[in-house]
Amino acid sequence: MSGSDTAPFLSQADDTDDGPAPGTPGLPGSLGNSKSEDPEVPDREGLQRITGLSPGRSALIVAVLCYINLLNYMDRFTVAGVLPDIEQFFNIGDSSSGLIQTVFISSYMVLAPVFGYLGDRYNRKYLMCGGIAFWSLVTLGSSFIPRERFWLLLLTRGLVGVGEASYSTIAPTLIADLFVADQRSRMLSVFYFAIPVGSGLGYIAGSKVKDVAGDWHWALRVTPGLGVVAVLLLFLVVREPPRGAVERHSDSPPLNPTSWWADLRALARNPSFILSSLGFTAVAFVTGSLALWAPAFLLRSRVVLGETPPCLPGDSCSSSDSLIFGLITCLTGVLGVGLGVETSRRLRRSNPRADPLVCAAGLLGSAPFLFLSLACARGSIVATYIFIFIGETLLSMNWAIVADILLYVVIPTRRSTAEAFQIVLSHLLGDAGSPYLIGLISDRLRRRWPPSFLSEFRALQFSLMLCAFVGALGGAAFLGTAIFIEGDRRRAQLHVQGLLREAGPADDRIVVPQRGRSTRVPVSSVLI
């Protein structure tokens, strides 16, 4: 079977190359046909027949992918949970601390297009197995670096990006090839629950393992062992479904992969993809900044309020704020993702633009609460936590919806590439530079004031206020997405059904039967 695991390593794993794409002959049916207007959604038996996998096996595959996604984000934010100890161990400032996350995200960003290209053409299961095995080894090695080799910590954190890039660009496309319509939205919401929950567990595991072991290095030795389990589960449980088969009509020919440059041109002409990626970039900027700096900011706030002693050289830093922030991140993530998906699902019945509008509401709503959380930090730590809770809940509404938007406005043979370039864009302008930028602004502000714990707190407070402004810009990008979403979704549906072929950058036309022969007409004439 073309989608089976007997396919050689890095060989085409499904039937997308079985035959050439049709040329210009007329296709059966017409645009007025209900089948063309609203593609049939396969039932459970239909999905099993198409994918070769039972509903239970498909659900188990999603569970394995969720476990690995949770593990990825848990590892990413374990460092943030012990950041004050890392600063003290290596004797570094805020800007160097921000560089730890920036180097990792930069590596992840650069490698994502490579795995996106491979994921659209080769066996996705084996690509993920290799990447996660490499990531586990490098993460374990990073826990043995001596204090005079900070540059080596930066190098290993950069290499960790290999594993994350191999997984994050590919896993959502597997879910897209197992489910359709509302089933897909539900499974994606489960998959993206793992991001905030894993992030929160990273803070919790980092802080608690450090407390139990008495050494922050042990916090980095938890996820590599779990990574070995992840590789075994991938190898034994996951099977490769055929790309795009669940979205095609039974009489539609399989989609052929196009060249990488053709994929890029098509994505660049897809305004919904571009604008939603820009909106998600704002989400990445804000979450990247908060993920690294929120525990340190909360600790400095408590020091200024006199609720906890300062972190002095030779002492172990307080980990209570990392633990509390981790719990808040877990809870707000579950609430936010669930609230976003359910709100979008209900509004979609009456408004086809519901997805980007819900994303815009989440970002625009989170901005003032994040600003208030920073402004209140010197007066009340309780008020700060309350505003962080509300702001993070609204911010988390975007995760699953943005992924769903990408999957229905991009055709199956370009989805890994689209995932990769959304990652590049969101990290290049988002969380690749935001932790370092926040730390750099903080260091510059501190130099203007006399050295004190208050100046350290104020510098980080003012630099983090940039997040509220960026969040508002992201909301505007999602409002722009709402203008184009219907037309771009319809184009993708027609392409998958074989009714739309790409003739060139300025000549996207569809073939329709008319008076017994085929006629090519502009897409705009039928996209109403």
Side-chain angles (χ1 to χ4, degrees), residues 110-422:
V110 169
L111 292 166
V114 177
F115 284 101
Y117 175 85
L118 296 174
D120 278 334
R121 291 159 177 82
Y122 302 111
N123 191 297
R124 294 172 282 189
K125 168 180 167 177
Y126 295 125
L127 287 169
M128 290 190 291
C129 284
I132 293 170
F134 181 78
W135 156 75
S136 299
L137 289 173
V138 173
T139 301
L140 181 62
S142 69
S143 69
F144 295 99
I145 296 171
R147 67 176 68 242
E148 64 273 9
R149 296 285 188 272
F150 176 66
W151 64 268
L152 193 55
L153 177 66
L154 294 178
L155 176 62
T156 55
R157 293 309 295 174
L159 292 175
V160 167
V162 174
E164 293 230 19
S166 70
Y167 180 78
S168 298
T169 57
I170 293 173
T173 68
L174 281 172
I175 297 175
D177 288 335
L178 291 171
F179 303 95
V180 290
D182 284 346
Q183 289 177 305
R184 177 191 290 170
S185 297
R186 283 193 292 270
M187 290 300 173
L188 284 172
S189 68
V190 172
F191 178 77
Y192 283 102
F193 274 138
I195 293 179
V197 174
S199 303
L201 287 177
Y203 294 113
I204 296 168
S207 60
K208 298 315 290 182
V209 170
K210 182 207 75 171
D211 289 344
V212 171
D215 183 358
W216 66 268
H217 291 88
W218 282 97
L220 301 183
R221 297 168 188 166
V222 175
T223 51
L226 299 174
V228 174
V229 176
V231 173
L232 291 175
L233 288 173
L234 266 177
F235 189 77
L236 296 175
V237 175
V238 175
R239 287 180 60 189
E240 180 93 356
R243 287 177 177 86
V246 294
E247 295 165 275
R248 293 198 302 263
H249 289 164
S250 59
D251 56 352
S252 299
L255 293 173
N256 287 314
T258 51
S259 71
W260 193 59
W261 289 111
D263 291 348
L264 295 186
R265 285 196 303 270
L267 293 174
R269 301 197 307 272
N270 189 326
S272 295
F273 169 73
I274 297 297
L275 288 169
S276 63
S277 297
L278 289 173
F280 189 65
T281 299
V283 176
F285 185 100
V286 176
T287 55
S289 301
L290 294 178
L292 190 71
W293 289 116
F297 172 74
L298 293 167
L299 175 61
R300 294 181 190 184
S301 174
R302 285 185 181 274
V303 170
V304 169
L305 292 171
E307 297 181 6
T308 192
C311 186
L312 300 174
D315 296 335
S316 179
C317 300
S318 171
S319 60
S320 61
D321 291 298
S322 293
L323 179 62
I324 296 171
F325 186 72
L327 291 171
I328 287 176
T329 302
C330 285
L331 186 55
T332 56
V334 172
L335 289 175
V337 172
L339 178 63
V341 170
E342 184 61 22
T343 303
S344 177
R345 187 181 70 82
R346 290 176 180 273
L347 291 179
R348 213 180 291 161
R349 299 169 186 169
S350 58
N351 189 344
R353 297 183 174 94
D355 286 350
L357 291 176
V358 169
C359 290
L363 263 177
L364 293 173
S366 69
F369 287 106
L370 293 177
F371 180 84
L372 288 172
S373 71
L374 298 168
C376 294
R378 193 177 173 186
S380 170
I381 196 70
V382 174
T384 297
Y385 275 122
I386 291 173
F387 288 130
I388 287 176
F389 185 93
I390 299 172
E392 284 211 322
T393 299
L394 294 171
L395 197 62
S396 298
M397 291 173 65
N398 292 274
W399 290 106
I401 302 176
V402 171
D404 205 12
I405 288 173
L406 183 148
L407 293 173
Y408 63 64
V409 300
V410 177
I411 63 172
T413 53
R414 292 187 181 128
R415 284 174 180 161
S416 289
T417 298
E419 290 278 358
F421 278 91
Q422 188 173 83

